[in-house]
Amino acid sequence: MTRRISGFTPSGILHLGNYLGAIRPIVDGTGHTDTVVFISDLHALTLDHDPALVRERTLEFATLLLAAGADPDRHLFLVQSHVPEHAELHYLLECTTGYGEAQRMIQFKEKSRRQEQIRMSLLTYPILMAADILLYDADEVPVGDDQSQHVELARDVAYRFNTRYGQTFTVPRAVHPPVGARIMDLATPTTKMSKSASSVAGSLRLADDPDTLRRKVMRAVTDDGRDVVYDPDRRPGVANLLDILAGCTGTDPVDLATGFDSYGQLKRAVADAVVETLGPLRKRYLELSDDPAHVRGVLRTGAARAREIAQRKVRTAKQAIGLLPA
């Protein structure tokens, strides 16, 4: 069975694009895909952060993922920092990665330009991401275009380690979600909906109540003209609404465009679809939020299961690279 791994960094607020592009495929793949689902809290430390907020969002992300259908009985479900082998393998992989490889990462270049003080972890976190992937012998890593370069680094590091020290890691490949990656900010439809960068008005957050979701959709930026056509280049606002409707209903946005005579009619249909899609998730989220001890228990159990796998992989890697067994 193919093994996939999906990580969620608690540095923002989960939204509809995350659900359609990353979370729902986890649930849909249950039964024919062996999936590792983890909250990558260590990655949230690469930039300036509020420690209390990282802890709060880590629990919130875990609760939302469970509410969305992540099944701890069928998925390996954990918090990254609860499994110390992630950090241990990170160091071993640093010993097989060149400085130039890390420095060439596009996200490092972009994020470092916005920082007065650049943390070393911002440079090396793609190697930690490689450790996250290789620790569990993942075959596939669902990512957007902005993370493809990091998966390529994981592939290069795995291949190099295997070549130098013996077959140790599965060489992963990136897979791209068919929807979700296209969901744009409602207020700025030329910009991708983001966990951290989107405005409150531009992001359809998973825990938003139905009235808030409807209000955001009805206020979404559209385009000049009146006819509803799917043209992402010239009509990005309308195209985004059609992409959202298509993602929620499993239909084609081009076909959907022919069914509407006005922007208002389209917005009402989108609002209905979003509320129908996220309503059950929010209801379950509120139930789970009332019992954080249960969620923490799920995470402890997941970490214990993950460590059984991770410890074996780290032992193999340490022996291969030349360390003396304890």
Side-chain angles (χ1 to χ4, degrees), residues 231-236 239:
D231 188 343
D233 293 327
R234 290 183 292 182
R235 302 279 187 89

Side-chain angles (χ1 to χ4, degrees), residues 22-86:
I23 301 174
R24 192 167 66 181
I26 292 171
V27 179
D28 292 345
T30 301
H32 57 81
T33 302
D34 178 15
T35 303
V36 180
V37 184
F38 72 105
I39 295 93
S40 48
D41 54 342
L42 295 176
H43 291 304
L45 310 184
T46 61
L47 301 173
D48 190 31
H49 62 276
D50 179 344
L53 189 57
V54 172
R55 285 191 291 270
E56 177 186 323
R57 285 184 173 163
T58 298
L59 185 60
E60 177 187 285
F61 274 37
T63 307
L64 281 167
L65 287 165
L66 290 172
D71 185 349
D73 293 327
R74 305 183 72 174
H75 305 132
L76 193 58
F77 187 75
L78 63 131
V79 172
Q80 182 187 32
S81 66
H82 294 179
V83 182
E85 286 77 14
H86 284 258

